[in-house]
């Protein structure tokens, strides 16, 4: 159960961080310059894929109805984590989201 929660939360956090870094303002906070169009598209695609993938452990750990509700809660928690970290430590957001994505994807493999 804890693996399901951590996996869904890590994927949600990494997805929200990727979507926020796709915006010029937040990309500028982290990298000091605006994002190029291909980079922005790649970040949007990666963020959307991570958020969509976050529903898998929720539905696998609980039933479909409870899993979708839990997924929406994890999306909110991931967005809250990004919103609280981005103004104060934008470079830490990049590192922590990469770590969360790798750990969550590794945890997702164990759910198979």
């Amino acid at each position: 159960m804890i693996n399901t929660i951590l996996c869904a939360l890590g994927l949600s956090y990494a997805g929200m961080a990727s979507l926020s870094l796709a915006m010029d303002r937040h990309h500028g906070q982290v990298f000091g310059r605006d994002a190029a169009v291909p980079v922005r598209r790649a970040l949007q695609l990666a963020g959307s894929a991570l958020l969509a993938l976050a529903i898998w452990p929720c539905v696998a750990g609980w039933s479909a109805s409870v899993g979708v509700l839990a997924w929406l809660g994890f999306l909110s928690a991931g967005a809250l984590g990004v919103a609280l970290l981005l103004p104060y430590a934008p470079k830490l957001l990049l590192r922590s989201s990469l770590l969360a994505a790798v750990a969550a994807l590794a945890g997702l493999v164990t759910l198979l």
Side-chain angles (χ1 to χ4, degrees), residues 50-77:
L50 287 169
L51 292 179
L53 197 59
I55 199 168
W56 183 7
C58 294
V59 172
W62 299 286
S63 64
S65 59
V66 175
V68 170
L69 185 63
W71 176 64
L72 292 172
F74 288 126
L75 291 182
S76 300

Short mmCIF file of all heavy atoms in Angstrom, two decimals, residues 50-77:
data_model
loop_
_atom_site.label_atom_id
_atom_site.label_comp_id
_atom_site.label_asym_id
_atom_site.label_seq_id
_atom_site.Cartn_x
_atom_site.Cartn_y
_atom_site.Cartn_z
N LEU A 50 3.40 11.73 -17.31
CA LEU A 50 3.60 11.37 -15.91
C LEU A 50 2.30 11.46 -15.11
O LEU A 50 2.01 10.61 -14.28
CB LEU A 50 4.68 12.24 -15.27
CG LEU A 50 6.12 11.96 -15.71
CD1 LEU A 50 7.05 13.05 -15.21
CD2 LEU A 50 6.57 10.60 -15.21
N LEU A 51 1.51 12.50 -15.38
CA LEU A 51 0.24 12.64 -14.68
C LEU A 51 -0.74 11.55 -15.09
O LEU A 51 -1.49 11.03 -14.26
CB LEU A 51 -0.37 14.02 -14.94
CG LEU A 51 0.39 15.20 -14.33
CD1 LEU A 51 -0.31 16.50 -14.69
CD2 LEU A 51 0.53 15.06 -12.84
N ALA A 52 -0.74 11.20 -16.36
CA ALA A 52 -1.61 10.12 -16.82
C ALA A 52 -1.15 8.77 -16.26
O ALA A 52 -1.97 7.91 -15.92
CB ALA A 52 -1.64 10.08 -18.34
N LEU A 53 0.15 8.61 -16.14
CA LEU A 53 0.70 7.36 -15.61
C LEU A 53 0.45 7.21 -14.11
O LEU A 53 0.42 6.10 -13.59
CB LEU A 53 2.20 7.30 -15.91
CG LEU A 53 2.91 5.98 -15.83
CD1 LEU A 53 2.29 4.98 -16.80
CD2 LEU A 53 4.38 6.16 -16.16
N ALA A 54 0.23 8.32 -13.44
CA ALA A 54 0.00 8.29 -11.99
C ALA A 54 -1.32 7.62 -11.63
O ALA A 54 -1.51 7.22 -10.48
CB ALA A 54 0.04 9.70 -11.42
N ILE A 55 -2.22 7.49 -12.58
CA ILE A 55 -3.50 6.83 -12.27
C ILE A 55 -3.33 5.32 -12.15
O ILE A 55 -4.11 4.65 -11.46
CB ILE A 55 -4.57 7.21 -13.31
CG1 ILE A 55 -5.96 6.92 -12.74
CG2 ILE A 55 -4.36 6.49 -14.61
CD1 ILE A 55 -7.08 7.51 -13.54
N TRP A 56 -2.32 4.78 -12.78
CA TRP A 56 -2.11 3.33 -12.79
C TRP A 56 -1.94 2.74 -11.39
O TRP A 56 -2.65 1.80 -11.01
CB TRP A 56 -0.95 2.98 -13.70
CG TRP A 56 -0.67 1.52 -13.86
CD1 TRP A 56 -1.40 0.47 -13.39
CD2 TRP A 56 0.44 0.96 -14.54
NE1 TRP A 56 -0.80 -0.71 -13.75
CE2 TRP A 56 0.33 -0.43 -14.45
CE3 TRP A 56 1.52 1.50 -15.21
CZ2 TRP A 56 1.28 -1.29 -15.00
CZ3 TRP A 56 2.45 0.65 -15.77
CH2 TRP A 56 2.32 -0.74 -15.67
N PRO A 57 -1.01 3.24 -10.56
CA PRO A 57 -0.89 2.65 -9.22
C PRO A 57 -2.13 2.86 -8.36
O PRO A 57 -2.45 2.03 -7.52
CB PRO A 57 0.34 3.32 -8.61
CG PRO A 57 0.59 4.51 -9.42
CD PRO A 57 0.03 4.26 -10.78
N CYS A 58 -2.84 3.96 -8.59
CA CYS A 58 -4.05 4.21 -7.81
C CYS A 58 -5.13 3.19 -8.11
O CYS A 58 -5.76 2.65 -7.20
CB CYS A 58 -4.57 5.62 -8.11
SG CYS A 58 -3.48 6.93 -7.55
N VAL A 59 -5.35 2.92 -9.39
CA VAL A 59 -6.37 1.94 -9.77
C VAL A 59 -5.91 0.53 -9.43
O VAL A 59 -6.72 -0.32 -9.06
CB VAL A 59 -6.72 2.09 -11.27
CG1 VAL A 59 -7.63 0.98 -11.74
CG2 VAL A 59 -7.37 3.44 -11.52
N ALA A 60 -4.61 0.27 -9.51
CA ALA A 60 -4.10 -1.05 -9.17
C ALA A 60 -4.17 -1.31 -7.66
O ALA A 60 -4.40 -2.43 -7.23
CB ALA A 60 -2.65 -1.20 -9.65
N GLY A 61 -3.98 -0.27 -6.86
CA GLY A 61 -3.99 -0.44 -5.42
C GLY A 61 -5.37 -0.44 -4.82
O GLY A 61 -5.61 -1.07 -3.79
N TRP A 62 -6.28 0.29 -5.43
CA TRP A 62 -7.65 0.36 -4.96
C TRP A 62 -8.57 0.00 -6.13
O TRP A 62 -8.09 -0.31 -7.20
CB TRP A 62 -7.96 1.76 -4.45
CG TRP A 62 -7.10 2.17 -3.29
CD1 TRP A 62 -7.21 1.72 -2.02
CD2 TRP A 62 -6.02 3.11 -3.30
NE1 TRP A 62 -6.24 2.31 -1.23
CE2 TRP A 62 -5.51 3.16 -1.99
CE3 TRP A 62 -5.43 3.90 -4.28
CZ2 TRP A 62 -4.45 3.98 -1.63
CZ3 TRP A 62 -4.39 4.71 -3.92
CH2 TRP A 62 -3.89 4.75 -2.61
N SER A 63 -9.84 0.07 -5.95
CA SER A 63 -10.76 -0.17 -7.07
C SER A 63 -10.75 1.04 -7.99
O SER A 63 -10.13 2.06 -7.71
CB SER A 63 -12.17 -0.42 -6.54
OG SER A 63 -12.64 0.74 -5.88
N ALA A 64 -11.46 0.94 -9.10
CA ALA A 64 -11.45 2.02 -10.09
C ALA A 64 -12.05 3.31 -9.53
O ALA A 64 -11.48 4.40 -9.73
CB ALA A 64 -12.20 1.59 -11.34
N SER A 65 -13.15 3.22 -8.83
CA SER A 65 -13.79 4.44 -8.33
C SER A 65 -12.95 5.11 -7.24
O SER A 65 -12.76 6.33 -7.25
CB SER A 65 -15.19 4.13 -7.81
OG SER A 65 -15.12 3.17 -6.77
N VAL A 66 -12.43 4.34 -6.31
CA VAL A 66 -11.59 4.91 -5.25
C VAL A 66 -10.24 5.33 -5.83
O VAL A 66 -9.67 6.35 -5.42
CB VAL A 66 -11.41 3.89 -4.11
CG1 VAL A 66 -10.45 4.40 -3.06
CG2 VAL A 66 -12.75 3.56 -3.48
N GLY A 67 -9.73 4.59 -6.81
CA GLY A 67 -8.45 4.92 -7.42
C GLY A 67 -8.48 6.25 -8.15
O GLY A 67 -7.52 7.03 -8.05
N VAL A 68 -9.55 6.54 -8.85
CA VAL A 68 -9.65 7.82 -9.55
C VAL A 68 -9.74 8.97 -8.54
O VAL A 68 -9.11 10.02 -8.73
CB VAL A 68 -10.86 7.82 -10.51
CG1 VAL A 68 -11.14 9.21 -11.05
CG2 VAL A 68 -10.63 6.84 -11.64
N LEU A 69 -10.47 8.78 -7.48
CA LEU A 69 -10.57 9.80 -6.45
C LEU A 69 -9.21 10.02 -5.77
O LEU A 69 -8.80 11.16 -5.52
CB LEU A 69 -11.62 9.41 -5.42
CG LEU A 69 -11.90 10.44 -4.34
CD1 LEU A 69 -12.45 11.71 -4.97
CD2 LEU A 69 -12.87 9.88 -3.33
N ALA A 70 -8.50 8.93 -5.48
CA ALA A 70 -7.17 9.05 -4.88
C ALA A 70 -6.21 9.74 -5.85
O ALA A 70 -5.38 10.56 -5.44
CB ALA A 70 -6.64 7.68 -4.50
N TRP A 71 -6.33 9.42 -7.14
CA TRP A 71 -5.49 10.05 -8.16
C TRP A 71 -5.69 11.56 -8.17
O TRP A 71 -4.71 12.32 -8.24
CB TRP A 71 -5.81 9.44 -9.51
CG TRP A 71 -5.10 10.04 -10.67
CD1 TRP A 71 -3.76 10.04 -10.91
CD2 TRP A 71 -5.69 10.73 -11.77
NE1 TRP A 71 -3.48 10.69 -12.09
CE2 TRP A 71 -4.65 11.11 -12.64
CE3 TRP A 71 -6.99 11.04 -12.11
CZ2 TRP A 71 -4.89 11.81 -13.82
CZ3 TRP A 71 -7.22 11.73 -13.28
CH2 TRP A 71 -6.19 12.11 -14.12
N LEU A 72 -6.94 12.01 -8.08
CA LEU A 72 -7.21 13.45 -8.05
C LEU A 72 -6.60 14.08 -6.80
O LEU A 72 -6.08 15.21 -6.85
CB LEU A 72 -8.71 13.70 -8.11
CG LEU A 72 -9.38 13.35 -9.43
CD1 LEU A 72 -10.89 13.47 -9.31
CD2 LEU A 72 -8.85 14.21 -10.55
N GLY A 73 -6.63 13.37 -5.69
CA GLY A 73 -6.00 13.87 -4.48
C GLY A 73 -4.49 13.95 -4.61
O GLY A 73 -3.86 14.92 -4.16
N PHE A 74 -3.89 12.95 -5.25
CA PHE A 74 -2.44 12.98 -5.45
C PHE A 74 -2.03 14.07 -6.43
O PHE A 74 -0.96 14.67 -6.28
CB PHE A 74 -1.93 11.62 -5.92
CG PHE A 74 -1.94 10.57 -4.85
CD1 PHE A 74 -2.57 9.36 -5.06
CD2 PHE A 74 -1.33 10.79 -3.64
CE1 PHE A 74 -2.59 8.39 -4.08
CE2 PHE A 74 -1.34 9.84 -2.64
CZ PHE A 74 -1.98 8.64 -2.86
N LEU A 75 -2.87 14.34 -7.44
CA LEU A 75 -2.59 15.46 -8.34
C LEU A 75 -2.58 16.77 -7.57
O LEU A 75 -1.71 17.63 -7.79
CB LEU A 75 -3.62 15.51 -9.46
CG LEU A 75 -3.61 14.41 -10.50
CD1 LEU A 75 -4.68 14.68 -11.56
CD2 LEU A 75 -2.26 14.28 -11.16
N SER A 76 -3.53 16.94 -6.68
CA SER A 76 -3.58 18.15 -5.86
C SER A 76 -2.37 18.25 -4.94
O SER A 76 -1.80 19.33 -4.77
CB SER A 76 -4.86 18.17 -5.04
OG SER A 76 -5.98 18.14 -5.88
N ALA A 77 -1.98 17.14 -4.35
CA ALA A 77 -0.82 17.15 -3.46
C ALA A 77 0.47 17.44 -4.23
O ALA A 77 1.34 18.17 -3.74
CB ALA A 77 -0.70 15.80 -2.73
#
